Amino acid sequence: MQRRWTKGRSMSKFAVTNANTGEVEEEFASVPKEEIPGYIDRAHEAHLAWKETPLHERAAILRKFADLVDANAEEMTDIIGREMGKIKKQGLGEVDKVARTARWMADNAAANLAPTHLAAAGAASSYVRHQPLGVLLGIMPWNFPYNQIARFVLPNLMVGNAIIMKQASICPKSSQYFEDLLVEAGLPVGVYQNIYLDSSHAEEVLKDFRVKGFSLTGSEGAGASVAAIAAKYYKRAVLELGGNDPAVVLDSKDVPALAHKLVGLRLANAGQVCTSPKRMIVVDDLYDEFLAEAVKAAEGTKVSDFDDPEVGMGPVSSEGALNEIVEMIDKAVSDGATLHTGGKKLDRPGWFMSPAVISDIDPKSELGCNELFGPAVMVYRAKDEEDALRLANDTEYGLMSSVWTDDLEKGEAFAEKINAGMTLINSHMESGPEYPFGGINRSGYGRENAQWAFQAFTNEHLIRVHA
């Protein structure tokens, strides 16, 4: 299938730099500042027609898009394998989730966008219509190049909003592919636009009155910066930022299996997941065995190219990310943490490193307080369950958390005391269109998925009728 790529003629910060080789394969020109109003013009005009398009027609386009995603899964996976290093099995899983999300949003929009009828309260009738706001800006990260877009875009297309999407600069090819598939599925041109927008030009988009809000997934710094701009212009926002997510092990009949499972979850996507189990908090009587098995699991993980059939972990996303991860591990060791294995750059082309296992981390140290976005398994010893809860809540983040126990009643009671937007029992790092996704505190605000996805950027328009 032919795709169009608008490649830059000169050096640009938007580029495909193969994470497996370190080689720059393609460069893309960023949009000049003076061309930004044209994107907004097209989005606004497209929105005026799209919001009048019957809901069943919008749903048919999303279902066709899902079929196209399924048909092109291999090519889509290979693109992000080169762009940011996602191994093929995990890439195929991400692409499958995009198709599932498209179908779920298409199937469930009508029920969630139907008028909400209220008590008449002195009128003949009262109800709320859930109406689109207009043009929205998306600012999305590189770690899930397709799914992060899908989670924001697909429900808002069903709502009737139009989207201008700025994807991360290292994923310019996958971001354009997403638009191409939507247009091929029948989405009118202009309703969704991929834009190679310099981060410094976000205000040029948000200051326009026709742009009604934004969704950002990324770093705390990026979130704070764009949220400040949005507040200046009274724009609605959803922020999904970092996490220092606890996985609390209370008991287990099979500690080795649990340790290997949690290490596998932590090393998925080379540890570059906002909801990754970054702090494994283990009660004292299981701690030594868990730590020993975690080291075995990390050392037994094959680090290789994204398309190696036996790969367990691929490269990290970029040279800058690799340097930052290794430096953060080295700093933790200098602060008193114990590095049991890994944490070093590998002597080969590309952005590869050995997965690390770290213990004896001071919760108040730089590593203890902040997110390490990479393949580092961090194990904390808890004296007992009460201490485990204290450690789990000893963070300014609050994205995902998990509790691991054979006693489900105990697990639920413990889970309800954790300060986080999401808590899973005997699982971690799950997400799906059927249930909400989002955090609290430094992890951001607002929710994606399920009914929350349809409500985030609607005008809850009250209508009261008096006879």
Side-chain angles (χ1 to χ4, degrees):
M1 187 181 297
Q2 292 294 315
R3 300 282 169 221
R4 63 179 176 85
W5 315 118
T6 309
K7 288 204 276 184
R9 297 178 182 173
S10 60
M11 188 63 183
S12 167
K13 71 176 188 176
F14 285 85
V16 176
T17 303
N18 193 322
N20 307 271
T21 66
E23 297 295 323
V24 177
E25 295 184 350
E26 295 182 77
E27 298 169 4
F28 299 73
S30 55
V31 171
K33 183 177 179 180
E34 60 270 19
E35 293 183 12
I36 293 172
Y39 281 84
I40 302 173
D41 291 343
R42 287 188 291 274
H44 178 66
E45 291 302 315
H47 159 68
L48 295 178
W50 179 243
K51 72 176 183 176
E52 302 301 330
T53 302
L55 202 59
H56 72 273
E57 293 184 19
R58 297 182 212 162
I61 291 171
L62 258 65
R63 293 190 186 100
K64 176 62 174 175
F65 170 75
D67 292 342
L68 289 170
V69 169
D70 286 340
N72 292 278
E74 289 283 341
E75 184 178 358
M76 294 175 73
T77 299
D78 286 346
I79 290 172
I80 61 175
R82 296 194 306 275
E83 282 182 333
M84 50 71 64
K86 182 164 299 203
I87 66 175
K88 198 150 191 176
K89 178 181 178 181
Q90 293 166 11
L92 289 169
E94 177 178 345
V95 171
D96 177 69
K97 185 177 287 187
V98 170
R100 289 194 295 109
T101 299
R103 294 186 177 105
W104 193 93
M105 296 302 169
D107 292 345
N108 290 275
N112 283 284
L113 293 174
T116 300
H117 292 277
L118 309 174
S125 65
S126 295
Y127 60 94
V128 172
R129 287 185 54 81
H130 311 285
Q131 298 173 328
L133 290 179
V135 180
L136 307 175
L137 172 65
I139 301 176
M140 294 295 144
W142 45 261
N143 58 335
F144 289 87
Y146 301 118
N147 189 56
Q148 293 285 174
I149 293 177
R151 206 162 58 195
F152 162 58
V153 168
L154 299 178
N156 278 295
L157 292 181
M158 290 305 302
V159 167
N161 292 316
I163 311 292
I164 296 174
M165 175 57 61
K166 180 218 175 316
Q167 176 57 290
S169 61
I170 68 172
C171 293
K173 198 161 184 173
S174 57
S175 61
Q176 184 59 52
Y177 203 113
F178 198 98
E179 178 185 338
D180 290 345
L181 287 186
L182 282 171
V183 172
E184 187 172 339
L187 188 72
V189 173
V191 176
Y192 177 89
Q193 296 177 87
N194 176 58
I195 181 172
Y196 298 133
L197 179 74
D198 285 344
S199 298
S200 61
H201 291 161
E203 186 165 1
E204 292 301 311
V205 180
L206 288 171
K207 73 181 184 182
D208 192 296
F209 179 76
R210 297 168 296 177
V211 179
K212 302 300 183 181
F214 80 96
S215 178
L216 180 146
T217 297
S219 70
E220 297 157 69
S225 176
V226 181
I229 295 170
K232 179 179 175 182
Y233 298 106
Y234 313 104
K235 309 296 182 175
R236 196 176 299 188
V238 169
L239 293 179
E240 195 264 284
L241 308 177
N244 203 4
D245 302 7
V248 182
V249 178
L250 298 180
D251 58 72
S252 175
K253 295 174 183 175
D254 191 343
V255 173
L258 178 54
H260 283 252
K261 182 179 183 67
L262 279 169
V263 169
L265 287 168
R266 176 60 175 138
L267 300 185
N269 207 29
Q272 301 165 125
V273 184
C274 298
T275 57
S276 180
K278 299 182 180 76
R279 294 181 298 140
M280 299 182 192
I281 301 168
V282 185
V283 293
D284 186 68
D285 58 340
L286 305 183
Y287 176 86
D288 290 334
E289 183 181 11
F290 184 96
L291 179 59
E293 292 295 334
V295 172
K296 290 180 187 177
E299 292 179 341
T301 299
K302 182 178 181 180
V303 180
S304 187
D305 293 342
F306 85 97
D307 55 357
D308 182 338
E310 299 179 352
V311 63
M313 189 184 90
V316 298
S317 61
S318 67
E319 185 176 22
L322 176 60
N323 291 336
E324 183 176 339
I325 295 163
V326 171
E327 288 171 9
M328 198 166 180
I329 292 171
D330 290 344
K331 175 67 164 56
V333 172
S334 69
D335 287 343
T338 301
L339 178 63
H340 297 269
T341 188
K344 306 298 181 185
K345 298 178 185 179
L346 298 184
D347 186 16
R348 55 170 294 176
W351 320 131
F352 293 91
M353 66 173 289
S354 52
V357 177
I358 311 170
S359 68
D360 305 315
I361 302 164
D362 181 352
K364 301 302 183 185
S365 68
E366 181 178 336
L367 180 60
C369 292
N370 296 299
E371 178 180 48
L372 194 161
F373 210 62
V377 177
M378 298 175 286
V379 186
Y380 292 74
R381 185 194 297 267
K383 291 181 292 186
D384 51 27
E385 292 179 15
E386 182 179 352
D387 191 42
L389 180 63
R390 179 189 64 80
L391 286 168
N393 286 336
D394 189 15
T395 178
E396 293 185 4
Y397 293 94
L399 193 55
M400 184 172 281
S401 59
S402 62
V403 184
W404 299 81
T405 175
D406 297 321
D407 183 339
L408 298 186
E409 185 175 343
K410 178 172 72 174
E412 285 191 60
F414 192 97
E416 291 173 1
K417 299 175 184 177
I418 295 179
N419 299 325
M422 304 170 281
T423 302
L424 285 62
I425 298 169
N426 295 330
S427 186
H428 199 110
M429 228 163 66
E430 286 185 350
S431 66
E434 305 87 352
Y435 42 91
F437 185 99
I440 59 174
N441 304 325
R442 284 172 62 186
S443 292
Y445 50 78
R447 293 293 182 270
E448 298 174 307
N449 286 335
Q451 63 263 41
W452 291 269
F454 298 111
Q455 297 167 356
F457 294 100
T458 57
N459 174 22
E460 306 301 317
H461 189 176
L462 172 67
I463 309 291
R464 278 174 59 80
V465 180
H466 287 272

